[in-house]
Amino acid sequence: MRIHLGQRTGMLSVVHMLLWAVALCGTVAPLQAGDLAYRQAVAEAAASNPALAEFYRERDYAPLWTTGADGARREVFFRALGSAGDHGLPVGDYGANDLRARFAALTSERQRGQLEVAMTAALLDYAVDIQTGAITPASVDPGIVRAVPKRDPVATLRSFAATEPRTFMRSLPPQSREYEQLRRAMFDLRGVIASGGWGQTVAEEKLEPGDSGQRVVALRDRLIRMGYLHRTAAQDYDGAIQKAVQRFQIEHGLSPDGVAGAGTLSEINVGPEARLRSVLVALERMRWMNGISLGKRHIWVNLPDFTAKVVDDGKVTFETVTVVGQNQHDRRSPEFSDVMEHLVVNPTWNVPRSITVKEYLPMLQKNPNSVGHLKITDRRGRVVDRSQVDFTQFTARNFPFAMSQAPSNSNALGLVKFMFPNKWNIYLHDTPSKSLFKKEVRAFSHGCIRLGQPFDLAYALLARQSDDPQAEFRRYLNSGRETTVPLKQQVPVHLVYYTAWPSARGEVEYRRDVYGRDARVFDALVAAGVAMPELQG
């Protein structure tokens, strides 16, 4: 929440005004901070914000900004505000020009006190934005349920007062390698936009090795401008163009067949402005996670990338393809972090209430013997005889039964699930529907994350607590019994949504905005004041 502080004009003698000007330049001692008018102004201006009020009370209203000795601190802060755009933040949102003007126009102790608090309020606004994001994620999309680790504002101010200003300002944004790589991509894309972009788009009709003509030339030229192909005069779809297309496909999550089909050409035609939007949103998402300990070992599930990875000490040690929630309002996989506690081998599928009443109840009303692979039980756990129930008398609100599927190869959860208990009932699991992993866009589930190689993930997790993880897992599996296996080393799990993310080589790769969340986040950033450059040329 922004703090807007009013000003009251006081009248002083010309001599007093000159003393103020000299004091702020640091050539003589400033007026005493204990001056009653100054202290009263600080107390009044800070009263509406508990953090500001507490901070100034505990330092007996001593100034941070408004004496001659504070000039260096002021300039460091004003430079930080002026470069807020270098982090994809709203440059004009902190009132730097107004604050500078108020320093130049100071004529009273009361104005000094008000300006003192205004500077500190602007510092808090900036610190919050660059540390943990300029917007509140849950207000943008209900699927972003991530808990943002907000800092204690009083502790932030104490730290600023006690730390060399440049050191403090450098400590605020995320300190990860990926954040800096995204910032470099942001600067590069701004340069591309300023120089006119990547040239003409390519007609979205399939091109493949052996083709020739003007459409191949258009593809060639755009790949050159994008940095995927060295300069060449070739007019044929030769091996060099095929390799360039494959590299592009790999970096954009497409099937790397080297053929420029409609899907690949659609992505090639995406301009630098759209890629910049993805990068700006990724920077904001990283700020939402700033302060969350990823864990020396953690599981990283990037929803639009359709992958799940085990990361050990910053290196990916296991990776598998995934299927995520469908792009429907009640099925999109949410974004949050939690801790994996155990896995369940040969799991029972207890059908979620939402699926039971929305999908299966209408089927039972038409045919009581439908979905016969599912068991129906009453509130006491007794099996219900379908032939004795008139399902048409029930609605989604009063349906009194539960449904479940016993462990088996055809169980909807497959043969293993990985649990990090949460109120959204989201987990990772096996699936009998293996064919879906061959698709490029894999958004088909009810919200949970299906894994292409669940057994291998189980082996990777059990390897930390078993001399023979495969044998141990197979023993549980072959028993046919539902078995809960606690993890001795619990593992943080992060369900994230990055359509722009650096590869291990440091090059930012891009993915489709499958849920449209990035578009909504970007619109919120623009509403907050984030600026976008216009394409030149």
Side-chain angles (χ1 to χ4, degrees):
M1 180 175 291
R2 305 295 181 219
I3 301 170
H4 300 285
L5 301 165
Q7 299 184 58
R8 298 180 184 176
T9 303
M11 299 300 294
L12 292 177
S13 68
V14 173
V15 173
H16 199 173
M17 293 171 66
L18 289 173
L19 282 174
W20 262 111
V22 174
L24 286 173
C25 290
T27 56
V28 300
L31 297 175
Q32 292 298 311
D35 178 88
L36 180 61
Y38 163 83
R39 292 169 63 89
Q40 184 175 354
V42 171
E44 290 176 357
S48 62
N49 184 294
L52 294 177
E54 179 180 346
F55 173 70
Y56 277 105
R57 277 197 308 270
E58 69 181 24
R59 61 187 282 112
D60 196 27
Y61 302 97
L64 272 177
W65 311 99
T66 56
T67 74
D70 301 323
R73 177 183 285 128
R74 289 196 299 271
E75 285 310 307
V76 169
F77 180 50
F78 282 133
R79 281 198 298 271
L81 295 188
S83 62
D86 292 349
H87 294 269
L89 290 173
V91 178
D93 206 32
Y94 309 105
N97 291 337
D98 176 66
L99 292 169
R100 283 187 183 275
R102 289 172 67 177
F103 271 105
L106 275 179
T107 58
S108 72
E109 287 284 282
R110 183 171 187 80
Q111 286 180 350
R112 182 164 77 104
Q114 293 170 337
L115 180 54
E116 172 71 33
V117 178
M119 288 285 288
T120 307
L123 171 65
L124 274 184
D125 287 341
Y126 175 77
V128 167
D129 287 358
I130 199 168
Q131 281 183 317
T132 53
I135 58 178
T136 303
S139 68
V140 176
D141 189 290
I144 310 175
V145 295
R146 176 167 306 287
V148 177
K150 297 293 186 182
R151 310 298 199 273
D152 176 7
V154 178
T156 296
L157 294 177
R158 290 173 186 151
S159 177
F160 176 70
T163 307
E164 194 279 323
R166 281 180 291 269
T167 301
F168 177 85
M169 290 299 174
R170 285 194 294 265
S171 74
L172 292 178
Q175 301 297 301
S176 69
R177 179 181 69 252
E178 290 84 1
Y179 187 79
E180 287 307 310
Q181 290 167 338
L182 285 165
R183 288 184 70 216
R184 285 199 296 272
M186 176 187 67
F187 295 132
D188 290 344
L189 287 164
R190 286 175 175 171
V192 170
I193 293 170
S195 64
W198 290 319
Q200 294 298 312
T201 57
V202 186
E204 293 180 10
E205 298 177 23
K206 183 178 178 181
L207 288 169
E208 57 188 339
D211 286 345
S212 61
Q214 286 305 307
R215 290 179 54 241
V216 173
V217 171
L219 172 62
R220 177 203 70 190
D221 290 347
R222 193 161 176 92
L223 290 171
I224 291 171
R225 293 286 292 271
M226 297 173 77
Y228 288 96
L229 184 65
H230 293 299
R231 289 199 170 276
T232 174
Q235 298 189 22
D236 299 325
Y237 198 127
D238 57 14
I241 291 180
Q242 182 178 6
K243 288 180 180 178
V245 169
Q246 285 179 315
R247 181 184 160 203
F248 178 91
Q249 289 170 328
I250 290 170
E251 293 185 1
H252 293 77
L254 307 171
S255 300
D257 57 8
V259 174
T264 294
L265 290 171
S266 177
E267 290 298 304
I268 286 174
N269 285 336
V270 173
E273 310 96 319
R275 298 306 185 196
L276 178 57
R277 289 194 288 270
S278 294
V279 170
L280 292 173
V281 170
L283 288 168
E284 177 73 358
R285 288 181 180 280
M286 288 207 72
R287 291 189 285 265
W288 295 343
M289 297 184 71
N290 188 23
I292 295 177
S293 176
L294 297 182
K296 287 177 65 64
R297 159 169 274 205
H298 62 269
I299 297 173
W300 184 262
V301 183
N302 190 6
L303 301 175
D305 188 35
F306 305 110
T307 59
K309 302 174 181 179
V310 175
V311 182
D312 289 299
D313 296 314
K315 295 183 178 180
V316 176
T317 56
F318 169 79
E319 179 174 350
T320 181
V321 294
T322 63
V323 167
V324 304
Q326 298 176 47
N327 187 22
Q328 298 180 19
H329 76 279
D330 58 346
R331 297 187 180 183
R332 299 181 187 110
S333 300
E335 302 167 50
F336 65 100
S337 295
D338 215 302
V339 177
M340 186 176 291
E341 300 176 359
H342 61 273
L343 53 99
V344 179
V345 185
N346 298 315
T348 296
W349 182 39
N350 295 305
V351 183
R353 173 80 180 177
S354 60
I355 299 176
T356 296
V357 298
K358 290 181 180 179
E359 298 184 26
Y360 295 146
L361 176 56
M363 297 170 68
L364 292 168
Q365 289 172 334
K366 293 178 181 179
N367 177 7
N369 294 316
S370 63
V371 290
H373 61 292
L374 299 177
K375 181 172 64 175
I376 302 176
T377 53
D378 63 18
R379 290 189 175 91
R380 296 184 180 180
R382 298 173 299 192
V383 177
V384 172
D385 183 350
R386 296 169 182 238
S387 66
Q388 301 301 309
V389 177
D390 177 11
F391 291 104
T392 62
Q393 67 180 305
F394 300 118
T395 66
R397 179 168 296 182
N398 67 11
F399 188 66
F401 306 123
M403 304 182 77
S404 63
Q405 184 181 17
S408 71
N409 288 329
S410 60
N411 185 285
L413 305 184
L415 296 171
V416 61
K417 66 178 180 178
F418 303 83
M419 302 301 293
F420 39 103
N422 57 82
K423 63 182 179 181
W424 303 282
N425 199 26
I426 298 296
Y427 44 88
L428 314 183
H429 65 86
D430 183 19
T431 176
S433 304
K434 306 294 187 185
S435 62
L436 295 177
F437 293 110
K438 297 178 182 178
K439 295 184 177 294
E440 201 168 74
V441 176
R442 298 185 292 275
F444 298 105
S445 81
H446 285 83
C448 285
I449 311 301
R450 303 176 190 173
L451 302 173
Q453 297 172 281
F455 288 11
D456 290 330
L457 176 59
Y459 303 155
L461 295 173
L462 294 176
R464 294 289 180 94
Q465 62 192 59
S466 173
D467 292 333
D468 192 344
Q470 294 191 33
E472 179 175 344
F473 180 79
R474 290 288 175 180
R475 185 169 66 253
Y476 299 136
L477 187 65
N478 294 337
S479 74
R481 296 189 300 273
E482 185 168 19
T483 306
T484 298
V485 184
L487 293 176
K488 294 180 181 178
Q489 178 186 342
Q490 296 185 352
V491 183
V493 181
H494 307 285
L495 272 65
V496 299
Y497 191 101
Y498 286 97
T499 63
W501 189 252
S503 68
R505 303 182 307 279
E507 298 172 353
V508 173
E509 299 184 348
Y510 299 93
R511 299 295 184 265
R512 297 179 176 101
D513 185 12
V514 290
Y515 293 161
R517 283 183 188 161
D518 266 23
R520 288 186 282 276
V521 173
F522 179 75
D523 287 345
L525 287 172
V526 171
V530 172
M532 274 286 291
E534 294 184 2
L535 190 65
Q536 301 300 310

